[in-house]
Amino acid sequence: MTDDQRSLEQIYRDEWGRIVATLIRLLGSFDLAEEAAQQAFAVALEEWPQQGTPANPRAWLVSTARHKAIDALRRKQRWEDRGDPDEAMRGLAHKPDTALEEETLPFEDDRLRLIFTCCHPALNTEAQVALTLRTLCGLTTEQIAQAFLVPLATMAQRLVRAKQKIRDAGIPYRTPQLPDLPERLSAVLLVVYLVFNEGYNAAGEGRALSEEAIRLGRILFELMPQEAEVRGLLALMLLNEARRAARQSEAGDRILLEDQDRSLWGQDRIAEGLSLAESALRLGPGPYSVQAAIAAVHAQAQTASQTDWPQIVALYDVLLRMQPSPVVELNRAAAVAMSEGCEAGLRLLDLLVQRGELPNYHLLPAARADMLRRLGRWTPAAHAYREALALATHEADRRFLTKRLAEVETRTY
Amino acid sequence: MQYLLLIYAAESQWSTMTEEQGAKMMAEYGAFTQGIIASENYKGGNRLHPVAKATTVRVRDGKTVMTDGPFAETKEQLGGYYLIEAADLDEATAIAARIPGARLGSIEVRPIIGM
């Protein structure tokens, strides 16, 4: 490796996950690994400015952390005054030097082990998300708590419990093999997508979550390039994130896709997303790849009116077959309204209402309201906007609906 | 590591089985048990009488209080258990999934605290 010009902060961001992943393998404990990694970074902060950044910062940090862990275990042993060295000690004493290990063992395997362990189905989803952000992304407990609007103590407790369960229930530190791999991978992808969505509409701290999710998506793509859905999810995230600058007004109001200033879309991310979406579909499409394909159709339209709506409807048909859900039906109905007219879209939405689907989902009445508004049926449109307002909780959603309701109300008189 | 696999199901599912279905189920349990004995995962296991035959004991203020029936009324009841040795949770849950009762009710996998 050549001289490392990265700042320590950058190295922390790039390497934390790899270092912790390797330390967990060496030390057999999440807590010990995290603590040792933190100590190693503290030593680096002190020593590197004087002695210069080592040629291979990661190997240096792993090696330093390992020695810190050995010291900690020795101290603990002396404290407990036990004659027999415990298992972790014995394991450590016989490990070859880390610099050597780095040459022989691929670090990538450790990160895969780590993400599959963090997203093990024996942990609940909230714990999976928190643990992934803490260990693989290196977010602090404070940052995660702030991003999810959860008290710090609650988040700390969630992480402690998850780590205890991994230890006490014997969740293995291992990449799953076939036949379990597809299901385990979809759990990992779901965690990444949940992190992304949490950041999608968030302001401030939460916004960083979308970037973290994309970073996780890139790591997964690097480690599992042959998996179509890994590509599909990364493509979907990139194509959605590309529109961030256009999605909100300066006042923080939501701007719908059709009203967005498309010159604000991030063309680099769109180009990357399009190529990934295309290769994902070629490898064998799954739900993320198809959603990415839908986002790709939008991304390719120069103006809203040039959107290839029949193509989007066809993609929703594919998605519905893969993943039947009333939310997908709702989105398909909105595409049908654009493609075949609002009457056709309304008929589909009314079927959903009749079936009693999505009773508390504000986007169902909001979509009906929008179609009724486009048809100039002001009174029923106003009624539907009120229904949506009664269900919407997010501030930006409420502002948007209130504005639309006021517009249609002026027409009813 | 050792794990206790607790087999829960609605007891009515057993009581409403035909003789033939019951015999088939017992044969499946027999084959499963032989399988985990052969693979050296088996440490112990038993089938339990229904909760109607359970007695719950509590000691309060030094006095033993006995009540008829289970500790808690639930839709599914503990009907049996296996004690197994497994390398990790993945092996334990894979074994749990092979218990015939997993298709009727559910198996709770509990790690044993080593003493």
Side-chain angles (χ1 to χ4, degrees), chain A residues 120 168-170 172 174, chain B residues 1 3 88-90 111:
Chain A
H120 195 281
D168 295 339
R174 187 171 57 215
Chain B
M1 284 185 70
Y3 296 87
D88 52 43
L89 184 64
D90 284 357

Side-chain angles (χ1 to χ4, degrees), chain A residues 98-117:
Chain A
T98 315
L100 182 78
E101 261 174 65
E102 200 208 16
E103 288 168 9
T104 52
L105 278 171
F107 275 84
E108 277 62 34
D109 287 357
D110 288 333
R111 280 189 301 172
L112 261 190
R113 278 190 197 104
L114 179 55
I115 192 158
F116 276 108
T117 303

Side-chain angles (χ1 to χ4, degrees), chain A residues 1 3 8 14 16-17 36 48 50 76 115 152 159 165 169 180 225 275 278 288 294 296 317 320 336 356 360:
Chain A
M1 197 179 275
D3 279 0
L8 187 56
D14 293 347
W16 170 269
W48 292 6
Q50 277 109 47
K76 185 174 165 243
I115 192 158
L152 177 59
L159 284 163
K165 173 136 191 207
D180 299 333
S275 119
E278 208 176 295
Y288 291 116
I294 293 168
D317 286 335
L320 258 182
V336 166
N360 299 313

Side-chain angles (χ1 to χ4, degrees), chain B residues 72-95:
Chain B
E73 296 286 348
T74 47
K75 266 195 221 154
E76 296 192 326
Q77 294 81 29
L78 182 63
Y81 66 88
Y82 284 98
L83 177 66
I84 62 159
E85 175 72 37
D88 52 43
L89 184 64
D90 284 357
E91 189 184 4
T93 53
I95 291 171

Side-chain angles (χ1 to χ4, degrees), chain A residues 167 218 234 334 356:
Chain A
R167 187 190 64 207
R218 286 191 196 285
L234 180 54

